[in-house]
Amino acid sequence: MLASDRIAEENAPRLPAHRSDYQQLGEVLARGGADAEAVAGALARFSVACPSWALGTGSTRFGRFPRGGEPVTTEQKIDDIAALHALTGANRSVSLHVPWDDPEDPAALREYARERGLGFDAMNSNTFQDNPSTTEGGKISYKFGSLCHSDASVRKAAIEHNRYVIRLGEKLGSKAITIWLADGTSYPGQGSFRGQFERVLDGLCEIYRAMPEDWRLYTEHKPYEPAFYSTVNADWGSSLLLAQGVGERALCLVDLGHHLPNANIEQVVSRLAMAGKLGGFHFNDSKYGDDDLTAGSIEPYQLFLVFLELLDAGGGELPRLAYMLDQSHNLKDPIEDLIQATDALMIALAQALCVKRAELREAQRENDPVLAEELLHRAFRGDVRPLVAEARLRNGAAIDPIATYRAVGYREAKLAERGDSTVATGL
Ligand code: LRH
Ligand code: MN
């Protein structure tokens, strides 16, 4: 359905317009000192991992509106991610969440993914829900936290679950584990800030010791939800203290939705990079809380500024970090939502690559805010979509992935194949 020749068929009528758009933009960028070929090349090398928990319809506590044809097995999720990657050329890896995905035969799953051009990115553990496989068959509960828990048997179970996730990840070829903890309190006095933090630090150190030498551990901060008074790993400062306390290969993961309103997220990125502790991202967007909306759908300028800080950290190149999506799709077709998110990241990267960084530094030295802003706006307000389409084309993907996805009728086919009542695991 999404074989390269089928995509080429859909691209054919769009090629002439694309070629002239790309050429014209190349001339415009050249006048502004940017090299379209270099940017298109960098975009073609870009990839953002797809979360296995975002292939179904997400929900809020007020309801879920499944659309049917959702993947149930991890193999079916791999199929949908392979379809996504065939359309974008920029989603080469899968991030699994255990136990939502807990393959009986990891070697077979690894081969299944490899045959479809996919690898496995950071694994995700889950000690924020009571699942029989993570609570010693229900003997313990994570109601009052996991690594921060006052009861050693709960902490032990949480550490053992993370060890299990690492062993599984090794069999899948993953090289990292992301640990997001719901641990915290909802009432003043309920828990000791210091006690909880020190227990989490101890637990992460034990998990770190269980990791192979070439693995990374990502600590993911979040200010609130489900804890509504204090969260142990609440902000970038807490995450940095944890990563520094755990070890050299412990790094901080920035989920864009995990910041209080009006936080300067691009500055958080700059700080963590400066400290040598920036490990990766969960890209999404939000207007109020951890809304998990489509990346770039609410604050595209912020996304552009985040990529600008990344290029600053990488000396003009995108640093080799763990780039992953983390979204929840309540209203849109999950695959269309993931296409839009991947497209938005590539657009933000293209815009950031078009900034004349030497002139920006000069304007900053000269304290010329107008010139500095004009240099950013010129790059942000330019239509770089032909560069992104060119990158997709070079990866054998679709010039217009949404139109191609709809033209091939992927969702309708999956609806017929999987039925209209299948619901994917996840949030
Ligand atoms: C927590 C979070 C975390 C995942 C979960 C699915 O809000 O961002 O990264 O484990 O969502
Ligand atoms: Mn996340």
Side-chain angles (χ1 to χ4, degrees), residues 67-78:
R67 59 180 51 243
E70 294 188 11
V72 174
T73 66
T74 308
E75 285 75 10
Q76 289 176 336
K77 294 177 182 179
I78 300 277

Side-chain angles (χ1 to χ4, degrees), residues 27 65 83 286 306 342 378 419:
E27 287 152 16
F65 305 92
S286 49
V306 164
T342 305
R378 178 193 298 206

Side-chain angles (χ1 to χ4, degrees), residues 50-70:
C50 182
S52 63
W53 61 92
L55 281 307
T57 307
S59 63
T60 71
R61 58 187 171 162
F62 300 103
R64 181 182 205 161
F65 305 92
R67 59 180 51 243
E70 294 188 11

Side-chain angles (χ1 to χ4, degrees), residues 80-112:
D80 286 6
I81 298 171
L84 170 71
H85 181 51
L87 291 160
T88 65
N91 305 96
R92 300 185 186 95
S93 58
V94 180
S95 185
L96 288 188
H97 216 300
V98 184
W100 296 337
D101 304 290
D102 198 354
E104 269 143 36
D105 184 346
L109 185 71
R110 183 174 183 171
E111 183 53 22
Y112 189 91

Side-chain angles (χ1 to χ4, degrees), residues 220 253 255 258 282 326:
E220 182 180 359
L253 182 138
D255 184 312
H258 292 183
H282 278 177
D326 180 3

